[in-house]
């Protein structure tokens, strides 16, 4: 079974631009979560989607948004990019059988550099 | 605020020596607990997890961890380190109820293994 895939793997943008990152979960997984990893702040939760609904959100500004499609694929968007948005963005998927606590499987990440 | 503390940002051991990576959490309700490993330029790979049941959990690559509620700890151990264990290790929790796959990560511990 194929793992979580993320596209693109690398991205360079300039301040003020917007960016869209894509995540395809493992087949059959219905929950997708997004995380930001930076040297200074570590791994931080952005949001989680299940059946096209955002169920949980981290402490990030409104410039960070996401969505999930009916096939469980997910996208996250960052508008008006700032230098501090440079990070590795990780997507994780899980097979939801109960309300929570399932193992999350991570993709390789998208490395975003904002100049 | 709920948090995860990993004692020691860097740990160095000799090949064949015991590996001990420490993790403590703060939560009024015992959470679900996870250990992930990250190799350079890669995503996160699950080593092991604790949800309910037996408090000694065995994972991949010879790692194990013990959940100690009284100490709010979930330390990761491996009897004999191998060069291939050099990586960054993250302890994480999902808070209950309502965690909805929101992983809260510790700051990480970088493990170096020397000959």
């Amino acid at each position: 079974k194929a793992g979580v895939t993320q596209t693109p793997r690398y991205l360079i943008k300039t301040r003020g631009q917007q960016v869209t990152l894509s995540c395809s979960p493992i087949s059959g997984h219905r929950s997708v979560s997004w995380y930001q990893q930076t040297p200074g702040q570590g791994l931080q939760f952005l949001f989680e989607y299940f059946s096209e609904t955002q169920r949980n959100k981290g402490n990030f500004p409104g410039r960070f948004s996401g969505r999930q499609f009916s096939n469980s694929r997910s996208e996250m968007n960052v508008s008006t990019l700032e230098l501090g948005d440079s990070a590795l963005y990780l997507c994780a998927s899980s097979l939801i059988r109960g309300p929570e606590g399932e193992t999350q499987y991570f993709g390789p990440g998208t490395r975003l550099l904002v100049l | 605020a709920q948090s995860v503390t990993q004692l020691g940002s860097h740990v160095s051991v000799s090949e064949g020596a015991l590996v001990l990576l420490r993790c403590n959490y703060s939560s009024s309700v015992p959470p679900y607990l996870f250990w992930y490993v990250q190799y350079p330029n890669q995503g996160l790979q699950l080593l092991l997890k604790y949800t309910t049941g037996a408090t000694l959990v065995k994972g991949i690559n010879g790692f194990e961890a013990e959940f100690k509620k009284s100490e709010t700890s979930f330390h990761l151990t491996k009897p004999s380190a191998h060069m291939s264990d050099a990586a960054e290790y993250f302890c994480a929790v999902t808070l209950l109820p309502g965690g909805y796959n929101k992983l809260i990560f510790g700051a990480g511990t970088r493990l170096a293994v020397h000959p």
Side-chain angles (χ1 to χ4, degrees):
Chain A
K1 194 180 265 191
V4 177
T5 58
Q6 293 187 244
T7 56
R9 291 293 311 277
Y10 303 92
L11 206 49
I12 299 175
K13 292 285 188 179
T14 56
R15 279 181 298 173
Q17 288 186 309
Q18 76 165 16
V19 67
T20 299
L21 312 181
S22 180
C23 172
S24 292
I26 293 171
S27 177
H29 286 195
R30 296 169 61 194
S31 169
V32 173
S33 300
W34 289 88
Y35 296 84
Q36 181 196 64
Q37 185 176 25
T38 61
Q41 299 299 316
L43 282 154
Q44 297 186 90
F45 172 81
L46 281 156
F47 26 65
E48 188 256 3
Y49 287 87
F50 174 67
S51 291
E52 302 178 66
T53 300
Q54 186 183 91
R55 296 196 298 178
N56 215 337
K57 189 176 189 303
N59 295 325
F60 279 82
R63 300 185 296 106
F64 292 81
S65 63
R67 59 177 176 169
Q68 185 181 35
F69 302 95
S70 58
N71 62 358
S72 294
R73 190 177 70 85
S74 177
E75 289 181 347
M76 67 162 283
N77 183 77
V78 187
S79 63
T80 318
L81 284 166
E82 300 177 0
L83 295 179
D85 297 333
S86 294
L88 180 67
Y89 290 88
L90 294 163
C91 166
S93 75
S94 61
L95 176 64
I96 296 294
R97 284 173 292 225
E100 54 202 339
E102 292 285 345
T103 297
Q104 294 186 56
Y105 297 89
F106 283 80
T110 294
R111 187 164 296 280
L112 171 66
L113 176 61
V114 182
L115 301 176
Chain B
Q2 315 297 344
S3 68
V4 178
T5 302
Q6 291 184 240
L7 189 61
S9 59
H10 290 81
V11 170
S12 181
V13 300
S14 299
E15 192 173 19
L18 171 72
V19 175
L20 171 61
L21 305 182
R22 300 177 187 273
C23 173
N24 288 87
Y25 66 90
S26 65
S27 173
S28 56
V29 176
Y32 292 164
L33 296 149
F34 306 81
W35 275 99
Y36 282 88
V37 61
Q38 186 176 35
Y39 298 99
N41 299 315
Q42 294 187 27
L44 301 172
Q45 180 183 11
L46 179 71
L47 284 174
L48 48 80
K49 69 175 182 179
Y50 170 79
T51 54
T52 58
T55 56
L56 182 61
V57 180
K58 294 187 184 300
I60 63 171
N61 301 338
F63 285 94
E64 64 181 36
E66 186 172 12
F67 169 60
K68 293 187 176 181
K69 182 179 176 181
S70 61
E71 298 177 8
T72 60
S73 69
F74 191 56
H75 302 330
L76 181 71
T77 61
K78 182 175 180 177
S80 177
H82 192 272
M83 297 294 288
S84 61
D85 294 328
E88 189 152 23
Y89 293 78
F90 294 93
C91 179
V93 303
T94 294
L95 301 178
L96 304 173
Y100 294 129
N101 285 335
K102 175 182 178 179
L103 283 169
I104 299 173
F105 285 92
T109 296
R110 189 169 298 276
L111 176 67
V113 182
H114 51 86

